[in-house]
Protein backbone atom coordinates (compact mmCIF):
# COMPACT_ATOMS: atom_id res chain seq x y z
CA UNK A 1 0.00 0.00 0.00
CA UNK A 2 2.89 2.38 0.55
CA UNK A 3 5.08 3.43 -2.29
CA UNK A 4 8.30 3.24 -0.37
CA UNK A 5 11.36 1.55 -1.74
CA UNK A 6 13.50 -0.13 0.83
CA UNK A 7 17.25 -0.02 0.81
CA UNK A 8 19.42 -3.03 1.35
CA UNK A 9 16.95 -5.63 2.40
CA UNK A 10 17.60 -9.28 2.33
CA UNK A 11 14.47 -9.90 0.35
CA UNK A 12 14.72 -13.67 0.32
CA UNK A 13 14.91 -13.77 4.08
CA UNK A 14 11.98 -11.42 4.30
CA UNK A 15 9.83 -13.45 1.97
CA UNK A 16 10.51 -16.70 3.74
CA UNK A 17 9.66 -15.31 7.13
CA UNK A 18 7.58 -17.70 9.06
CA UNK A 19 8.42 -20.63 6.84
CA UNK A 20 10.03 -23.67 8.30
CA UNK A 21 11.31 -22.29 11.58
CA UNK A 22 10.72 -23.75 15.01
CA UNK A 23 7.30 -25.02 15.91
CA UNK A 24 7.13 -23.38 19.29
CA UNK A 25 3.52 -22.91 20.14
CA UNK A 26 3.56 -19.26 20.58
CA UNK A 27 2.45 -16.29 22.22
CA UNK A 28 0.32 -16.78 25.23
CA UNK A 29 2.08 -14.30 27.48
CA UNK A 30 1.40 -16.59 30.40
CA UNK A 31 3.70 -19.10 28.75
CA UNK A 32 6.64 -16.77 28.58
CA UNK A 33 9.08 -17.55 31.37
CA UNK A 34 9.52 -13.86 32.00
CA UNK A 35 5.81 -13.42 32.60
CA UNK A 36 5.87 -15.37 35.83
CA UNK A 37 8.30 -13.05 37.54
CA UNK A 38 6.31 -10.10 36.34
CA UNK A 39 2.93 -11.43 37.31
CA UNK A 40 3.60 -10.44 40.90
CA UNK A 41 1.00 -8.32 42.59
CA UNK A 42 1.01 -4.61 43.31
CA UNK A 43 3.48 -2.89 45.56
CA UNK A 44 6.38 -5.26 44.98
CA UNK A 45 9.43 -3.70 43.42
CA UNK A 46 10.33 -4.99 40.00
CA UNK A 47 13.97 -5.29 39.10
CA UNK A 48 15.02 -4.61 35.54
CA UNK A 49 18.61 -5.08 34.50
CA UNK A 50 19.64 -3.80 31.08
CA UNK A 51 22.54 -5.88 29.84
CA UNK A 52 23.94 -7.82 26.89
CA UNK A 53 22.46 -11.29 26.54
CA UNK A 54 21.56 -13.83 23.89
CA UNK A 55 18.19 -14.56 22.35
CA UNK A 56 17.03 -17.44 20.19
CA UNK A 57 15.31 -15.11 17.74
CA UNK A 58 15.42 -17.61 14.93
CA UNK A 59 14.49 -20.53 17.15
CA UNK A 60 15.36 -24.17 16.68
CA UNK A 61 18.95 -25.02 15.94
CA UNK A 62 19.88 -21.55 14.73
CA UNK A 63 22.63 -19.78 16.60
CA UNK A 64 21.32 -17.32 19.18
CA UNK A 65 21.63 -13.61 18.51
CA UNK A 66 23.58 -11.28 20.77
CA UNK A 67 21.11 -8.66 21.94
CA UNK A 68 20.75 -6.09 24.70
CA UNK A 69 17.80 -6.95 26.87
CA UNK A 70 16.13 -6.55 30.24
CA UNK A 71 16.68 -9.45 32.64
CA UNK A 72 18.12 -11.58 29.85
CA UNK A 73 14.69 -11.84 28.27
CA UNK A 74 13.98 -10.65 24.71
CA UNK A 75 11.67 -8.76 24.70
CA UNK A 76 11.89 -7.73 28.36
CA UNK A 77 9.56 -9.20 30.98
CA UNK A 78 5.90 -8.36 30.62
CA UNK A 79 5.14 -5.98 33.45
CA UNK A 80 1.56 -6.14 34.66
CA UNK A 81 0.02 -3.73 37.08
CA UNK A 82 -3.53 -2.93 38.14
CA UNK A 83 -4.93 0.41 37.02
CA UNK A 84 -4.42 2.87 39.86
CA UNK A 85 -1.82 0.72 41.64
CA UNK A 86 1.74 1.99 42.02
CA UNK A 87 4.55 0.55 39.95
CA UNK A 88 8.08 0.55 41.33
CA UNK A 89 10.88 -0.50 39.05
CA UNK A 90 14.51 -0.57 40.05
CA UNK A 91 16.55 -0.34 36.87
CA UNK A 92 20.14 -1.49 36.93
CA UNK A 93 22.51 -0.65 34.11
CA UNK A 94 24.62 -3.61 33.05
CA UNK A 95 25.64 -1.96 29.77
CA UNK A 96 28.93 -0.23 29.04
CA UNK A 97 27.11 3.04 28.29
CA UNK A 98 24.45 5.18 29.96
CA UNK A 99 20.82 4.19 29.73
CA UNK A 100 17.33 5.21 30.88
CA UNK A 101 13.90 3.61 30.76
CA UNK A 102 10.97 5.45 29.22
CA UNK A 103 7.42 4.28 30.01
CA UNK A 104 5.84 4.90 26.68
CA UNK A 105 2.27 6.20 26.78
CA UNK A 106 1.98 6.38 30.55
CA UNK A 107 0.80 9.75 31.85
CA UNK A 108 3.30 9.99 34.66
CA UNK A 109 5.25 12.68 36.53
CA UNK A 110 7.93 14.27 34.38
CA UNK A 111 10.80 13.12 36.62
CA UNK A 112 9.85 9.49 35.88
CA UNK A 113 9.73 9.91 32.10
CA UNK A 114 13.21 8.56 31.45
CA UNK A 115 14.59 11.08 28.97
CA UNK A 116 18.33 11.57 29.49
CA UNK A 117 19.42 15.17 29.82
CA UNK A 118 15.84 16.36 30.08
CA UNK A 119 14.13 14.53 32.94
CA UNK A 120 17.10 12.71 34.51
CA UNK A 121 20.78 12.03 34.06
CA UNK A 122 21.50 8.81 32.27
CA UNK A 123 21.99 5.83 34.57
CA UNK A 124 25.75 5.24 34.48
CA UNK A 125 27.14 1.77 33.81
CA UNK A 126 26.82 -0.17 37.06
CA UNK A 127 24.34 2.38 38.43
CA UNK A 128 20.66 2.15 39.33
CA UNK A 129 17.58 4.34 39.19
CA UNK A 130 14.22 3.73 40.78
CA UNK A 131 11.14 4.63 38.81
CA UNK A 132 7.93 5.01 40.80
CA UNK A 133 4.59 6.06 39.39
CA UNK A 134 0.94 5.08 39.32
CA UNK A 135 -0.44 4.49 35.84
CA UNK A 136 -3.78 6.30 35.63
CA UNK A 137 -4.95 4.51 32.48
CA UNK A 138 -5.59 0.84 31.81
CA UNK A 139 -4.31 -0.54 28.54
CA UNK A 140 -1.39 -1.78 26.50
CA UNK A 141 1.75 0.27 27.05
CA UNK A 142 5.45 -0.43 26.85
CA UNK A 143 8.84 0.50 28.14
CA UNK A 144 12.08 1.01 26.28
CA UNK A 145 15.46 2.66 26.49
CA UNK A 146 15.52 6.36 25.61
CA UNK A 147 19.33 6.71 25.61
CA UNK A 148 21.47 6.11 22.53
CA UNK A 149 18.02 5.33 21.24
CA UNK A 150 18.68 4.03 17.74
CA UNK A 151 21.20 1.51 19.07
CA UNK A 152 19.65 0.55 22.40
CA UNK A 153 16.14 0.06 21.06
CA UNK A 154 17.54 -1.51 17.90
CA UNK A 155 19.46 -4.05 19.94
CA UNK A 156 16.37 -5.02 21.86
CA UNK A 157 15.87 -2.92 25.00
CA UNK A 158 12.07 -2.98 25.07
CA UNK A 159 9.21 -4.76 26.80
CA UNK A 160 5.45 -4.55 27.31
CA UNK A 161 3.70 -2.88 30.23
CA UNK A 162 0.10 -3.95 30.65
CA UNK A 163 -2.13 -1.96 32.94
CA UNK A 164 -5.12 -4.11 33.74
CA UNK A 165 -8.67 -2.82 33.89
CA UNK A 166 -10.05 -3.10 37.40
CA UNK A 167 -13.13 -4.73 35.93
CA UNK A 168 -11.72 -6.51 32.88
CA UNK A 169 -14.10 -7.51 30.13
CA UNK A 170 -14.20 -11.21 29.47
CA UNK A 171 -12.32 -12.82 26.64
CA UNK A 172 -11.43 -16.47 26.25
CA UNK A 173 -7.77 -15.53 25.99
CA UNK A 174 -5.70 -12.38 26.26
CA UNK A 175 -2.69 -12.54 23.93
CA UNK A 176 0.19 -10.15 23.52
CA UNK A 177 2.33 -9.87 20.40
CA UNK A 178 5.40 -7.74 20.89
CA UNK A 179 6.53 -7.32 17.30
CA UNK A 180 10.16 -6.44 16.65
CA UNK A 181 12.20 -6.10 13.52
CA UNK A 182 15.87 -6.98 13.27
CA UNK A 183 18.51 -6.65 10.63
CA UNK A 184 20.41 -9.86 10.96
CA UNK A 185 23.46 -10.93 9.05
CA UNK A 186 23.90 -14.41 7.61
CA UNK A 187 25.31 -15.66 10.90
CA UNK A 188 22.27 -14.43 12.79
CA UNK A 189 24.01 -11.52 14.47
CA UNK A 190 22.72 -7.95 14.40
CA UNK A 191 24.19 -6.03 11.49
CA UNK A 192 26.29 -3.02 12.49
CA UNK A 193 25.78 0.41 10.97
CA UNK A 194 23.07 2.00 13.08
CA UNK A 195 22.28 5.62 12.25
CA UNK A 196 23.45 5.46 8.68
CA UNK A 197 22.78 8.95 7.22
CA UNK A 198 21.46 7.51 3.97
CA UNK A 199 18.80 5.48 5.76
CA UNK A 200 18.12 8.23 8.24
CA UNK A 201 16.82 10.39 5.42
CA UNK A 202 14.50 7.67 4.13
CA UNK A 203 12.37 5.03 5.82
CA UNK A 204 14.95 4.26 8.51
CA UNK A 205 16.58 1.01 9.48
CA UNK A 206 13.99 -1.50 8.36
CA UNK A 207 15.30 -4.99 9.04
CA UNK A 208 14.95 -8.42 7.48
CA UNK A 209 13.66 -10.52 10.37
CA UNK A 210 10.40 -9.90 12.17
CA UNK A 211 9.85 -11.55 15.54
CA UNK A 212 6.87 -11.87 17.83
CA UNK A 213 7.63 -12.11 21.53
CA UNK A 214 11.28 -12.65 20.65
CA UNK A 215 10.90 -15.44 18.14
CA UNK A 216 10.38 -15.74 14.39
CA UNK A 217 6.81 -17.00 14.57
CA UNK A 218 5.38 -19.92 12.77
CA UNK A 219 1.96 -20.71 14.10
CA UNK A 220 -0.49 -19.56 16.70
CA UNK A 221 -2.87 -22.24 17.88
CA UNK A 222 -6.50 -21.23 17.87
CA UNK A 223 -9.64 -22.98 18.97
CA UNK A 224 -12.68 -22.51 16.76
CA UNK A 225 -15.28 -20.27 18.34
CA UNK A 226 -13.07 -18.63 20.92
CA UNK A 227 -12.88 -14.90 21.40
CA UNK A 228 -9.37 -13.50 21.69
CA UNK A 229 -8.16 -10.18 22.88
CA UNK A 230 -4.98 -9.59 20.96
CA UNK A 231 -2.66 -6.80 22.02
CA UNK A 232 -0.41 -5.76 19.15
CA UNK A 233 2.68 -3.71 19.94
CA UNK A 234 5.05 -2.50 17.26
CA UNK A 235 8.38 -2.28 19.07
CA UNK A 236 10.42 -1.99 15.86
CA UNK A 237 12.84 0.88 15.28
CA UNK A 238 11.51 1.73 11.86
CA UNK A 239 9.26 -0.89 10.28
CA UNK A 240 5.65 0.11 9.69
CA UNK A 241 3.20 -2.79 9.47
CA UNK A 242 -0.17 -3.27 7.88
CA UNK A 243 -1.65 -6.51 9.15
CA UNK A 244 -4.41 -8.41 7.43
CA UNK A 245 -5.97 -11.41 9.19
CA UNK A 246 -7.12 -13.56 6.31
CA UNK A 247 -10.53 -15.12 6.87
CA UNK A 248 -11.16 -13.01 9.96
CA UNK A 249 -12.75 -9.70 10.83
CA UNK A 250 -10.83 -8.17 13.71
CA UNK A 251 -12.45 -5.39 15.70
CA UNK A 252 -10.24 -2.61 17.01
CA UNK A 253 -11.06 -1.82 20.63
CA UNK A 254 -8.11 0.30 21.77
CA UNK A 255 -5.38 2.43 20.22
CA UNK A 256 -2.20 3.13 22.15
CA UNK A 257 -3.84 1.72 25.25
CA UNK A 258 -6.82 4.06 25.04
CA UNK A 259 -10.24 2.51 24.40
CA UNK A 260 -11.93 3.58 21.18
CA UNK A 261 -15.31 2.97 19.67
CA UNK A 262 -15.09 -0.69 18.53
CA UNK A 263 -14.70 -0.73 14.75
CA UNK A 264 -13.40 -2.78 11.88
CA UNK A 265 -10.17 -1.32 10.53
CA UNK A 266 -10.12 0.53 7.19
CA UNK A 267 -9.15 -1.70 4.23
CA UNK A 268 -9.28 -4.69 6.58
CA UNK A 269 -5.77 -3.78 7.66
CA UNK A 270 -4.37 -2.83 10.99
CA UNK A 271 -1.87 -0.08 10.44
CA UNK A 272 0.83 -0.15 13.05
CA UNK A 273 3.67 2.36 13.00
CA UNK A 274 6.64 2.06 15.34
CA UNK A 275 5.63 2.45 19.02
CA UNK A 276 1.92 2.09 18.27
CA UNK A 277 -0.34 -0.41 19.97
CA UNK A 278 -3.64 -1.72 18.73
CA UNK A 279 -5.86 -3.98 20.82
CA UNK A 280 -8.19 -6.08 18.74
CA UNK A 281 -10.89 -8.60 19.40
CA UNK A 282 -10.55 -11.61 17.18
CA UNK A 283 -13.47 -13.98 16.98
CA UNK A 284 -12.10 -17.29 15.80
CA UNK A 285 -14.78 -18.06 13.25
CA UNK A 286 -12.56 -20.10 10.95
CA UNK A 287 -12.95 -23.81 10.34
CA UNK A 288 -11.49 -26.39 12.71
CA UNK A 289 -8.33 -27.92 11.24
CA UNK A 290 -7.65 -25.04 8.84
CA UNK A 291 -4.89 -22.44 8.82
CA UNK A 292 -5.20 -18.75 8.04
CA UNK A 293 -2.26 -16.47 7.31
CA UNK A 294 -1.67 -13.10 8.93
CA UNK A 295 -0.08 -10.97 6.23
CA UNK A 296 1.88 -7.75 6.44
CA UNK A 297 1.74 -5.90 3.13
CA UNK A 298 2.75 -2.39 4.08
CA UNK A 299 5.76 -2.03 1.79
CA UNK A 300 5.18 -2.39 -1.93
CA UNK A 301 6.25 -5.76 -3.27
CA UNK A 302 7.48 -6.83 0.14
CA UNK A 303 4.36 -8.47 1.42
CA UNK A 304 5.05 -11.50 3.61
CA UNK A 305 3.20 -13.90 5.86
CA UNK A 306 3.88 -12.99 9.46
CA UNK A 307 2.41 -16.20 10.80
CA UNK A 308 -0.40 -18.69 10.48
CA UNK A 309 -3.40 -18.99 12.74
CA UNK A 310 -3.75 -22.76 13.05
CA UNK A 311 -7.12 -24.04 14.18
CA UNK A 312 -7.14 -27.25 16.11
CA UNK A 313 -9.55 -29.90 15.03
CA UNK A 314 -11.86 -29.62 18.04
CA UNK A 315 -15.39 -28.51 17.21
CA UNK A 316 -16.25 -24.88 17.69
CA UNK A 317 -16.58 -23.71 21.24
CA UNK A 318 -19.58 -21.61 20.29
CA UNK A 319 -21.41 -21.26 17.04
CA UNK A 320 -21.56 -17.48 16.75
CA UNK A 321 -19.40 -14.69 17.96
CA UNK A 322 -19.92 -13.92 21.61
CA UNK A 323 -22.56 -11.34 22.36
CA UNK A 324 -20.56 -9.89 25.25
CA UNK A 325 -19.91 -6.16 24.84
CA UNK A 326 -16.63 -5.12 23.25
CA UNK A 327 -16.32 -1.60 24.54
CA UNK A 328 -13.57 -1.23 27.12
CA UNK A 329 -14.20 0.96 30.17
CA UNK A 330 -13.11 4.55 29.58
CA UNK A 331 -9.86 5.91 31.03
CA UNK A 332 -9.78 9.18 32.97
CA UNK A 333 -8.22 11.21 30.14
CA UNK A 334 -9.45 14.80 30.10
CA UNK A 335 -11.25 15.91 26.96
CA UNK A 336 -9.80 19.06 25.36
CA UNK A 337 -12.02 22.08 24.84
CA UNK A 338 -11.42 23.02 21.22
CA UNK A 339 -13.15 26.36 21.47
CA UNK A 340 -10.70 27.73 24.05
CA UNK A 341 -7.63 25.78 22.93
CA UNK A 342 -4.31 27.28 21.97
CA UNK A 343 -3.15 26.25 18.50
CA UNK A 344 0.30 25.32 17.27
CA UNK A 345 1.55 24.05 13.97
CA UNK A 346 4.45 21.62 13.72
CA UNK A 347 5.88 21.44 10.25
CA UNK A 348 7.78 18.20 9.75
CA UNK A 349 10.60 18.85 7.34
CA UNK A 350 13.61 17.32 5.66
CA UNK A 351 14.59 13.86 4.51
CA UNK A 352 15.30 12.69 0.99
CA UNK A 353 13.17 13.53 -2.00
CA UNK A 354 11.37 16.78 -1.77
CA UNK A 355 12.09 17.80 1.78
CA UNK A 356 11.88 21.47 2.57
CA UNK A 357 13.59 23.83 4.91
CA UNK A 358 16.92 22.02 4.97
CA UNK A 359 18.85 25.22 4.27
CA UNK A 360 17.61 26.98 7.36
CA UNK A 361 17.79 24.25 9.97
CA UNK A 362 19.55 24.98 13.22
CA UNK A 363 20.94 21.83 14.81
CA UNK A 364 20.92 21.14 18.56
CA UNK A 365 22.44 17.93 19.90
CA UNK A 366 24.58 15.11 18.59
CA UNK A 367 24.76 13.65 15.10
CA UNK A 368 23.71 14.82 11.67
CA UNK A 369 20.60 16.94 11.18
CA UNK A 370 18.55 15.54 8.33
CA UNK A 371 15.08 16.35 9.62
CA UNK A 372 13.58 19.32 11.40
CA UNK A 373 10.45 20.57 13.10
CA UNK A 374 9.66 24.20 12.22
CA UNK A 375 13.21 24.63 10.98
CA UNK A 376 14.97 23.34 14.07
CA UNK A 377 16.63 19.95 14.47
CA UNK A 378 16.99 18.38 17.88
CA UNK A 379 19.19 15.37 17.28
CA UNK A 380 20.48 12.36 19.21
CA UNK A 381 18.55 11.83 22.41
CA UNK A 382 17.67 15.47 22.75
CA UNK A 383 19.22 18.31 24.62
CA UNK A 384 18.03 19.79 27.86
CA UNK A 385 19.43 23.18 26.83
CA UNK A 386 17.16 23.55 23.88
CA UNK A 387 14.37 26.08 24.18
CA UNK A 388 11.02 24.31 24.06
CA UNK A 389 9.11 24.81 20.84
CA UNK A 390 6.38 26.47 22.86
CA UNK A 391 5.06 26.78 26.38
CA UNK A 392 1.47 26.04 27.21
CA UNK A 393 -0.17 27.04 30.42
CA UNK A 394 -1.00 24.08 32.62
CA UNK A 395 -4.61 23.01 32.25
CA UNK A 396 -5.07 24.66 28.86
CA UNK A 397 -6.34 22.71 25.91
CA UNK A 398 -3.92 22.58 23.03
CA UNK A 399 -4.45 21.83 19.34
CA UNK A 400 -1.48 20.62 17.34
CA UNK A 401 -1.41 20.48 13.58
CA UNK A 402 1.21 17.95 12.57
CA UNK A 403 1.93 19.02 9.01
CA UNK A 404 4.09 16.52 7.19
CA UNK A 405 5.95 18.36 4.47
CA UNK A 406 8.14 15.35 3.73
CA UNK A 407 7.93 12.35 1.43
CA UNK A 408 8.00 9.87 4.34
CA UNK A 409 5.70 8.46 7.01
CA UNK A 410 6.20 9.60 10.59
CA UNK A 411 4.73 8.04 13.75
CA UNK A 412 4.66 11.21 15.87
CA UNK A 413 4.75 10.67 19.62
CA UNK A 414 4.08 13.04 22.51
CA UNK A 415 5.29 12.18 26.00
CA UNK A 416 3.26 12.58 29.17
CA UNK A 417 -0.17 12.95 27.55
CA UNK A 418 -2.67 11.13 25.40
CA UNK A 419 -4.19 13.18 22.62
CA UNK A 420 -7.46 13.09 20.78
CA UNK A 421 -7.06 12.62 17.03
CA UNK A 422 -9.36 15.28 15.58
CA UNK A 423 -8.88 15.08 11.83
CA UNK A 424 -6.67 14.04 8.94
CA UNK A 425 -6.39 16.56 6.12
CA UNK A 426 -9.48 18.21 7.53
CA UNK A 427 -11.58 15.04 7.57
CA UNK A 428 -12.83 14.20 11.05
CA UNK A 429 -11.39 11.02 12.54
CA UNK A 430 -14.24 8.50 12.54
CA UNK A 431 -13.81 6.49 15.74
CA UNK A 432 -13.15 8.72 18.75
CA UNK A 433 -9.45 7.92 18.70
CA UNK A 434 -7.05 8.72 21.50
CA UNK A 435 -3.36 7.97 21.11
CA UNK A 436 0.11 8.90 22.13
CA UNK A 437 1.61 8.12 18.72
CA UNK A 438 -0.08 9.01 15.46
CA UNK A 439 1.08 7.88 12.05
CA UNK A 440 1.27 10.84 9.68
CA UNK A 441 1.35 10.02 5.98
CA UNK A 442 3.58 11.85 3.49
CA UNK A 443 2.17 15.38 2.94
CA UNK A 444 -0.68 14.78 5.33
CA UNK A 445 -1.75 17.07 8.16
CA UNK A 446 -3.09 15.40 11.28
CA UNK A 447 -4.79 17.55 13.88
CA UNK A 448 -4.65 16.34 17.47
CA UNK A 449 -5.73 17.98 20.72
CA UNK A 450 -5.04 17.40 24.39
CA UNK A 451 -5.33 19.03 27.77
CA UNK A 452 -1.85 20.10 28.82
CA UNK A 453 -2.39 18.99 32.41
CA UNK A 454 0.97 17.41 33.11
CA UNK A 455 3.67 19.91 34.10
CA UNK A 456 7.17 19.61 32.71
CA UNK A 457 9.22 19.54 29.53
CA UNK A 458 7.97 16.79 27.26
CA UNK A 459 9.49 15.17 24.21
CA UNK A 460 7.62 15.23 20.96
CA UNK A 461 9.29 13.20 18.24
CA UNK A 462 9.02 10.76 15.42
CA UNK A 463 9.33 7.19 16.68
CA UNK A 464 11.29 5.97 13.69
CA UNK A 465 14.57 5.95 15.59
CA UNK A 466 16.62 7.09 12.59
CA UNK A 467 14.33 10.09 12.17
CA UNK A 468 14.36 10.96 15.85
CA UNK A 469 18.12 10.94 16.23
CA UNK A 470 18.55 12.88 12.97
CA UNK A 471 16.39 15.80 14.07
CA UNK A 472 12.68 14.98 13.98
CA UNK A 473 12.31 15.82 17.63
CA UNK A 474 11.43 18.75 19.83
CA UNK A 475 10.14 19.50 23.32
CA UNK A 476 7.13 21.37 24.59
CA UNK A 477 6.77 22.90 28.04
CA UNK A 478 3.70 22.69 30.25
CA UNK A 479 4.02 25.26 33.00
CU1 LIG B 1 8.58 5.58 23.01
CU2 LIG B 1 10.19 9.23 23.31
O1 LIG B 1 9.44 7.43 23.15
CU1 LIG C 1 6.89 8.06 25.08
CU1 LIG D 1 9.73 9.86 10.98
Amino acid sequence: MASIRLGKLNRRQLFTLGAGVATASLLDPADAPAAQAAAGSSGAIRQLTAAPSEAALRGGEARPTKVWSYNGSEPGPVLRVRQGAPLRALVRNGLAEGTTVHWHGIRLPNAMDGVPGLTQSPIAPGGTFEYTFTPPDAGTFWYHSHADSAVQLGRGLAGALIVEESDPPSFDRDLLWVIQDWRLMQDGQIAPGFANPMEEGMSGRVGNTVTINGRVPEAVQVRAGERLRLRLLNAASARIMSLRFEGHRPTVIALDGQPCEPHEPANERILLGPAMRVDIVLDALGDPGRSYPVIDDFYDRLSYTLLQLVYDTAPARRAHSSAAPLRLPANPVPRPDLASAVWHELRLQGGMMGGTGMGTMAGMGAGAAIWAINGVSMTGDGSGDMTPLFTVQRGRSCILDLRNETAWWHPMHLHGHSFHVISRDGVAAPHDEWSDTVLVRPRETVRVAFVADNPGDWMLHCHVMDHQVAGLMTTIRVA
Side-chain angles (χ1 to χ4, degrees):
M1 66 187 290
S3 53
I4 287 177
R5 298 285 195 84
L6 295 180
K8 288 192 175 170
L9 263 189
N10 179 339
R11 283 153 196 260
R12 191 182 36 184
Q13 216 167 343
L14 191 61
F15 277 119
T16 54
L17 262 182
V21 197
T23 46
S25 134
L26 267 175
L27 313 185
D28 190 332
D31 290 335
Q36 260 85 46
S41 51
S42 57
I45 186 156
R46 328 289 173 98
Q47 313 257 358
L48 284 179
T49 300
S53 70
E54 294 198 330
L57 302 179
R58 297 174 301 160
E61 310 285 273
R63 235 178 94 205
T65 304
K66 293 188 172 69
V67 298
W68 294 356
S69 69
Y70 295 108
N71 297 1
S73 155
E74 188 54 61
V78 180
L79 302 181
R80 285 180 181 268
V81 64
R82 269 291 168 94
Q83 183 176 18
L87 176 68
R88 291 175 66 201
L90 182 66
V91 175
R92 200 174 297 279
N93 185 2
L95 303 171
E97 60 184 53
T99 195
T100 59
V101 175
H102 171 60
W103 311 89
H104 184 117
I106 303 285
R107 300 186 296 127
L108 42 58
N110 191 257
M112 296 292 120
D113 198 43
V115 180
L118 188 70
T119 70
Q120 69 172 105
S121 316
I123 310 167
T128 58
F129 187 90
E130 189 182 323
Y131 294 90
T132 313
F133 54 89
T134 300
D137 304 322
T140 307
F141 299 93
W142 65 303
Y143 61 96
H144 62 82
S145 161
H146 217 292
D148 192 7
S149 304
V151 174
Q152 292 193 15
L153 182 60
R155 291 194 181 279
L157 284 169
L161 168 56
I162 292 180
V163 183
E164 290 169 336
E165 292 89 9
S166 41
D167 188 14
S170 84
F171 299 98
D172 296 317
R173 282 194 293 154
D174 187 334
L175 302 187
L176 167 68
W177 292 1
V178 180
I179 310 175
Q180 289 161 292
D181 176 40
W182 311 83
R183 183 175 295 174
L184 300 183
M185 300 180 294
Q186 214 62 54
D187 63 357
Q189 300 310 310
I190 296 174
F194 287 93
N196 159 341
M198 195 59 195
E199 284 183 326
E200 285 182 337
M202 304 202 287
S203 52
R205 185 179 155 108
V206 175
N208 54 22
T209 306
V210 175
T211 58
I212 296 185
N213 299 348
R215 195 61 89 80
V216 172
E218 185 185 59
V220 171
Q221 309 293 330
V222 176
R223 165 115 191 246
E226 70 179 340
R227 169 167 278 189
L228 305 173
R229 176 184 191 163
L230 178 51
R231 302 170 188 262
L232 303 166
L233 155 58
N234 182 346
S237 317
R239 178 185 288 278
I240 303 170
M241 299 161 199
S242 174
L243 300 182
R244 188 161 57 82
F245 289 72
E246 216 170 272
H248 293 77
R249 302 178 69 176
T251 301
V252 176
I253 56 169
L255 299 166
D256 290 349
Q258 302 297 350
C260 61
E261 213 177 282
H263 64 276
E264 290 191 11
N267 303 322
E268 296 171 17
R269 281 164 177 79
I270 292 154
L271 194 55
L272 207 56
M276 291 166 60
R277 292 86 65 211
V278 177
D279 285 29
I280 60 174
V281 170
L282 199 65
D283 284 315
L285 300 179
D287 301 330
R290 267 189 69 180
S291 294
Y292 300 84
V294 177
I295 292 161
D296 172 9
D297 61 4
F298 181 77
Y299 299 102
D300 272 352
R301 293 181 300 284
L302 287 173
S303 152
Y304 65 97
T305 296
L306 179 61
L307 54 72
Q308 301 277 347
L309 298 177
V310 177
Y311 279 67
D312 71 27
T313 50
R317 183 175 203 140
R318 55 175 84 83
H320 307 287
S321 46
S322 157
L326 292 173
R327 178 122 206 179
L328 295 170
N331 281 325
V333 185
R335 198 167 259 276
D337 174 34
L338 299 186
S340 68
V342 293
W343 175 85
H344 290 277
E345 182 177 62
L346 275 73
R347 282 169 290 123
L348 316 180
Q349 302 158 325
M352 306 288 284
M353 304 193 305
T356 56
M358 293 304 294
T360 57
M361 284 168 12
M364 288 289 295
I370 298 174
W371 304 91
I373 296 178
N374 294 359
V376 180
S377 304
M378 180 188 249
T379 56
D381 299 295
S383 153
D385 309 331
M386 191 169 149
T387 324
L389 190 66
F390 59 82
T391 298
V392 52
Q393 202 193 332
R394 184 177 178 183
R396 280 299 291 272
S397 293
C398 181
I399 297 173
L400 295 182
D401 275 346
L402 304 165
R403 180 179 297 280
N404 186 354
E405 297 180 347
T406 81
W408 305 91
W409 295 66
H410 302 294
M412 297 302 298
H413 170 52
L414 171 64
H415 286 214
H417 301 79
S418 285
F419 48 71
H420 196 200
V421 179
I422 306 292
S423 63
R424 292 184 168 83
D425 284 336
V427 178
H431 304 294
D432 196 26
E433 297 169 33
W434 295 79
S435 336
D436 55 62
T437 308
V438 67
L439 191 55
V440 187
R441 293 166 191 263
R443 313 284 172 195
E444 184 183 44
T445 298
V446 177
R447 172 169 289 185
V448 304
F450 62 100
V451 179
D453 60 351
N454 201 352
D457 285 1
W458 300 103
M459 281 279 167
L460 199 172
H461 62 86
C462 176
H463 223 287
V464 170
M465 285 299 111
D466 301 271
H467 297 179
Q468 176 200 313
V469 302
L472 208 44
M473 174 163 56
T474 189
T475 59
I476 65 166
R477 177 169 294 165
V478 179

